[in-house]
Amino acid sequence: MNPIQSINGVTGLPEPCYKDGYRATRNKVWSTNAGRSQTGKMIGDIIAYKWKLELKFSLNKQTDITKLSGALNGATFFNVKFYNPESGEFTTKTFYAGDPTYPVYTTRDDKGVLYQNVSVNLIEQ
């Protein structure tokens, strides 16, 4: 099962690595008055929770990378349908992308360029 069903309406994306290829983190957004008081007690309020999706892809052909980068470069903010580990269902939220990395694994004349450990972080708006 691919935990990323679509990015910016693009489906059929490469599947993240089996091990450590998909990491979903639920980040807290604190109020502006948050911090430690003079006694060391934490103060402030959590005003929202936002998702961060860390994606890593194992060995990909140029066509996979072109499709992925096309989905990421289509707009500043875009919808992502992803597997939500808290609900056990797919959820759609608005995200933006961090800087993707495209490490070249090999450049074989007969099969083109292959990429290994391509990664990108998606951060909820």
Side-chain angles (χ1 to χ4, degrees):
M1 168 195 77
N2 192 339
I4 302 297
Q5 293 290 299
S6 67
I7 296 175
N8 203 17
V10 177
T11 59
L13 295 162
E15 193 166 335
C17 299
Y18 175 70
K19 184 178 179 185
D20 295 328
Y22 177 72
R23 184 174 298 182
T25 304
R26 190 76 157 160
N27 293 306
K28 298 172 189 162
V29 179
W30 289 86
S31 59
T32 56
N33 68 330
R36 297 281 177 188
S37 70
Q38 290 179 334
T39 62
K41 183 179 178 183
M42 182 67 181
I43 58 172
D45 299 299
I46 297 172
I47 58 174
Y49 291 91
K50 299 293 181 173
W51 287 103
K52 177 181 179 185
L53 307 177
E54 298 173 68
L55 307 176
K56 186 174 16 172
F57 305 92
S58 57
L59 196 59
N60 298 100
K61 298 176 185 175
Q62 185 63 54
T63 54
D64 295 328
I65 300 308
T66 300
K67 190 170 197 176
L68 177 64
S69 64
L72 297 174
N73 295 329
T76 304
F77 299 102
F78 44 82
N79 286 334
V80 175
K81 186 174 182 181
F82 66 101
Y83 182 76
N84 180 333
E86 291 183 342
S87 69
E89 298 176 353
F90 283 91
T91 304
T92 301
K93 299 278 186 183
T94 304
F95 286 79
Y96 63 94
D99 298 329
T101 59
Y102 303 106
V104 173
Y105 175 68
T106 184
T107 54
R108 300 185 328 194
D109 292 335
D110 59 333
K111 298 197 180 182
V113 176
L114 293 176
Y115 299 85
Q116 188 173 25
N117 295 325
V118 170
S119 63
V120 66
N121 292 334
L122 304 178
I123 301 100
E124 187 179 353
Q125 183 181 21

